[in-house]
Amino acid sequence: MVILSLVSCSVSLFSPPISLRLHFPPATSLFSHGSFPASTFKPELRPLFVCCLQRRETAHIHRCNCLTCTIDGETQIESLFSLFRDIGFKEEETEMILAKNPDVKSTPLDKISARVASLQSLKLDGFALQGLIAKCPSLLTSEELDLVITFLVDELEGRLDPELVERILAVSDTSFLLSFNQKVRLLIHHGIPKEKISYVLSKVYLNKLMYQKSVEDIERLISYLEPFGGIGIIARRPVILNSDLDTQLIPRVEFIRNLSGEDDFATGTVLRRLPAILSYSVDHMNSHVEFLKSFAGLTSEQVFKIVHVFPNVISTSKERKLRPRIEFLKQSGFDSPGMFKFLSKAPLFLALSEDNLSHKLGFLVKIGYKHRTRELAFAMGAVTRTSSDNMQRVIGLYLSYGLSLEDILAMSTKHPQVLQYSHTSLEEKLEYLIEYMGREVEELLAFPAFLGYKLDSRIKHRYEEKLKSRGENMSLNKLLTVSAERFSKTADNIEVICL
């Protein structure tokens, strides 16, 4: 009977696993009974009997191991839900994240916890951390991220703003982050201070910088700009890093350089004063240059000198600002050389808003200036350097000290800058002139430039030196305009005569 059972069992060895669940007692119990010694079985069946027993024990061990794995898996899932709950996720949100990135389930819990702690060390917490993990759950398991986080924490000392860190890490393919470290190190190597790297990176298109720009591309770009200011230009206008060197930067720099007469230093001055000029196409810049040459009658050299002083002329609207203001100068009696001289000193006249200029024009007309005169144009050029509010306060201050509108007109015609000085500075000088020097405010009519000298280092110093030599009656003009050497000799001579 037993033999028949064994034969039946031997046939079922190749059946599904359920056939292996044989109801044999342990081998030791079989052999322990005298009625079933091993010798009872035929020699050809003994190996089969042993094989069946080994299969049974192996199946038993396998079932135990599966049970252990199930327990460990459940513990892992429970721990993950607990961890995500601490971050701020709801249960259904955690399920969505695990479904989106199944690798999270098989990654050791301590590794995921360490990754979350690293992200928190970069000041990512609360909604920012939740949003980043929900958007890119692969950040919890990505091997490439280890090097990036180490770089951000250790080398950059956690200086980046959390919003910027979030932008950097929220990439669809984390493999691109590997070159991020190299690119930032390159910028620091060329002179971008670590404390400014956050500003630089926040102003560029990060996706373009990481996906489309190689380390070699950035190195070439910096090297090309080196003669003109290099990394300093990039620090002020980081978006330049996104420009294509061959099709954008080189043609634009070369246009400015050719306009300058191939003067690299002058070209660099323009780029340093207005790095944003590199945002304009060659066609745009050329159209402005040609307009100034044709409508204002300027030469290429004169146009560059204006651009050199005020590069923003390239960004000024031709029709809304350049044309009507050049027309204003023509109607005021300026020829081409006169316009060049005026615009070299007051280039802001071309760029200020219409409201700004109209307010100032109203004040000048109220003082007594006449339309379509060179005097009005010069006064307009002078007040471009001050605000309408300050100009109004200055006029009010002069009136409060007893000067009339006619006096203000006479002073500003002689010295237009008297309308652009800070009203607080003017008040201090007027008070010193009257209270400490004992002079009359009318003396300013003869020498309005007095108001342009520095109070402490020039006016007070000269006046106090004259007091020591009993020369207090010297005119304001002589007191302030003579050279330091002549002033010192005059003071010494007066002192000797008095002795």
Side-chain angles (χ1 to χ4, degrees), residues 49-245:
F49 174 72
V50 174
C51 179
C52 287
L53 294 179
Q54 288 175 343
R55 291 251 180 165
R56 179 183 182 279
E57 293 179 357
T58 302
H60 176 71
I61 294 170
H62 177 69
R63 285 161 58 193
C64 291
N65 287 341
C66 289
L67 181 60
T68 303
C69 291
T70 302
I71 294 173
D72 290 344
E74 291 176 355
T75 303
Q76 168 86 352
I77 296 298
E78 290 176 1
S79 300
L80 281 174
F81 272 87
S82 177
L83 175 62
F84 279 81
R85 194 180 307 115
D86 292 339
I87 296 173
F89 287 105
K90 298 178 181 178
E91 185 172 334
E92 55 271 21
E93 293 173 333
T94 302
E95 291 175 349
M96 290 178 62
I97 292 173
L98 296 180
K100 192 174 181 180
N101 186 17
D103 291 341
V104 176
K105 299 178 183 178
S106 58
T107 303
L109 183 64
D110 57 348
K111 185 174 181 179
I112 294 178
S113 299
R115 176 61 53 82
V116 171
S118 297
L119 294 172
Q120 290 172 333
S121 71
L122 293 170
K123 303 173 186 176
L124 289 174
D125 49 26
F127 291 115
L129 182 59
Q130 290 179 45
L132 186 61
I133 293 176
K135 183 178 181 181
C136 306
S138 60
L139 293 176
L140 297 174
T141 57
S142 172
E143 297 291 339
E144 293 90 348
L145 199 62
D146 290 329
L147 293 175
V148 177
I149 291 181
T150 300
F151 174 73
L152 295 176
V153 173
D154 296 340
E155 291 191 41
L156 295 187
E157 302 168 359
R159 295 175 183 269
L160 300 191
D161 295 331
E163 296 81 5
L164 178 58
V165 174
E166 189 175 353
R167 286 175 56 203
I168 292 171
L169 299 181
V171 294
S172 57
D173 187 350
T174 54
S175 63
F176 284 101
L177 290 172
L178 293 177
S179 64
F180 171 79
N181 297 0
Q182 295 175 277
K183 294 170 183 176
V184 175
R185 286 193 186 103
L186 180 64
L187 296 175
I188 294 173
H189 171 73
H190 280 281
I192 299 289
K194 285 184 178 181
E195 56 270 19
K196 289 187 177 181
I197 200 68
S198 183
Y199 167 79
V200 171
L201 294 177
S202 67
K203 297 298 181 181
V204 299
Y205 304 120
L206 279 175
N207 286 344
K208 191 171 184 179
L209 184 66
M210 288 194 288
Y211 296 157
Q212 301 179 21
K213 288 280 186 179
S214 67
V215 175
E216 292 73 20
D217 290 337
I218 297 174
E219 181 71 62
R220 282 186 63 223
L221 188 151
I222 296 173
S223 298
Y224 174 76
L225 291 177
E226 196 61 40
F228 312 106
I231 204 69
I233 297 174
I234 295 172
R236 291 190 57 202
R237 183 75 175 178
V239 75
I240 290 174
L241 288 169
N242 293 131
S243 301
D244 183 82
L245 178 61

Side-chain angles (χ1 to χ4, degrees), residues 434-446:
I434 296 169
E435 299 294 332
Y436 293 91
M437 297 178 67
R439 302 298 184 96
E440 298 295 330
V441 72
E442 286 76 11
E443 290 190 57
L444 293 175
L445 298 176

Side-chain angles (χ1 to χ4, degrees), residues 306-317:
I306 294 172
V307 172
H308 184 264
V309 174
F310 186 65
N312 295 78
V313 69
I314 294 296
S315 63
T316 304
S317 170

Side-chain angles (χ1 to χ4, degrees), residues 266-282:
T267 301
T269 301
V270 172
L271 298 182
R272 288 190 297 273
R273 285 177 175 168
L274 185 67
I277 198 172
L278 293 175
S279 302
Y280 296 98
S281 67
V282 172

